[in-house]
Amino acid sequence: MEQLEEMCVDVNLDEGLATEILVRLPARSVLRYRAICKDWLRITACQSFLRAHARRRPLEVLFYTRRTVVQQQELDGAAGPRWPGRRWDAARQRWRFPRSPMIQEVEDRFFAISKDHRSNDSGYVELDALSITAHRPASGQRLARYPSNCVLLASLDGLLLLRSSKSVFHCQHLVCNPLTRQWSDLPPLIRDAGVNAQQRESGFYFHEPSGEYRLLCHVTFYQPRPESWGYYVFSAGADKPRRLNTEATPMWNTVVTTLRSHPSLMKPAFYDNLMAPAVLHGHLHWMQHIEAGFTGQIVAFDTVTEMFRRMAPPPMTHNDPEHSHLLVADGSLMASELGQLFVDLWVLQGYDGGAASGRWERHVRVEVPCHTDNRLLIATGGDGGDVILGTPGGVVVYNVRSGTVRQVMDIDASRSDTVVSPSRVVFRESIVRHRFFEARPHPGLRYFSFCS
């Protein structure tokens, strides 16, 4: 530190040159170097510098690493004739019993959604960020480690949105910046005594007219009867949530999907992609949403008028939430559909945010890493026309402009003590200051630790 201080005094860098150097450094380096001298502190404390620095930071894919802790002697002594056909699933940290094909597929599908953001009571989750920038080698950093009752919901502008649940009817939403290690909680849902309410998160977005970060939730009140439902907006820094003046569809009156192995059988959709909407022209877009009802259409939410509308979907082979996503790349709304060893990308040509604008066309077919449990975990737009596609087998990046494909990460599924999987979240570090951290500070979640 003394050497850097002497260098700053002796060299006497021009302020413009110092700014150009500092804006290219990683966020943690900027936080350290601002302590060298007052000039650098003044430069790095300017909001225009912080915004320019955030725009330069590379996009990163967040990965979960789960480490299992089941003892081998428990496995050795647990097998036997009492439950014939029972086997231990190391990846899922539980016993597997014989199931009918239909029940097995429903069970696997539900677990695939829940395992994306939580660990078992017998393990823990480490959250890693992997840079996918083309002009530099893929490099990762560990962001945090947290317990099983904490769920990562979304990331936006360097912020992480987390949910801590005590029960299905009682949860807490928190926003944190892993670089500055600041915490703030979203206002809780105000309920009368004896009222049970279930919240279904449906998008975390920045509301440009007000400058607020908002969480959109579908809320169902179960008790006292009769049931009621509606949409609420939870704004960071606000004192209480606000109910939207728009009609809401009840959860039980929504789309159903067919089992791929048994097309004649139906089951409810799980809506595992609600927290990963495609944001374009001031709208949030979902491939499947509660407000689609039984129509199978795309749903768009206008963040200014706060109204929902339906749009025609692309003519895909199947409209399965586990195999199709919406994303924005190179300024266009796109849709992805997972096949056996590939992902088909569709683009909505001529779309400008209007209700009847645009025409769906298939753009390209991209090969993706294969895995025995092949699901499309992440499909999102990156920088410079990149499309990020992730499955349990790895992550590839397709560039819309050049038509090239590069593999960023190949996941080894052979280890039974460690499970690595991409999340549905991408992250871009930022040290921009936000007023809501001071307006509504929070000490942070218990047992949640940041990694430097």
Side-chain angles (χ1 to χ4, degrees), residues 70 75 86-96:
V70 173
L75 304 183
R86 184 178 71 163
R87 63 183 179 85
W88 175 252
D89 190 333
R92 301 183 179 185
Q93 280 290 291
R94 63 174 182 172
W95 289 105
R96 299 297 300 272

Side-chain angles (χ1 to χ4, degrees), residues 281-296:
H281 301 312
H283 291 71
L284 310 183
H285 304 81
W286 297 270
M287 179 65 75
Q288 286 200 341
H289 193 273
I290 303 164
E291 294 309 309
F294 293 103
T295 65

Side-chain angles (χ1 to χ4, degrees), residues 66 114-115 117-125 146-148 150:
R66 302 170 183 80
S114 63
K115 82 172 184 180
H117 43 57
R118 67 182 66 187
S119 68
N120 306 111
D121 294 335
S122 59
Y124 58 88
V125 173
Y146 55 86
S148 60
C150 177

Side-chain angles (χ1 to χ4, degrees), residues 28 126-128 141-145 178 181 449-452:
R28 288 187 174 89
E126 293 170 343
L127 187 64
D128 300 319
Q141 61 173 330
R142 181 144 296 164
L143 289 183
R145 173 179 172 177
R181 304 193 175 189
S449 60
F450 294 109
C451 303
S452 58

Side-chain angles (χ1 to χ4, degrees), residues 299-310:
V299 172
F301 175 74
D302 190 325
T303 58
V304 177
T305 64
E306 297 183 331
M307 300 293 292
F308 291 95
R309 76 164 189 266
R310 295 169 181 172

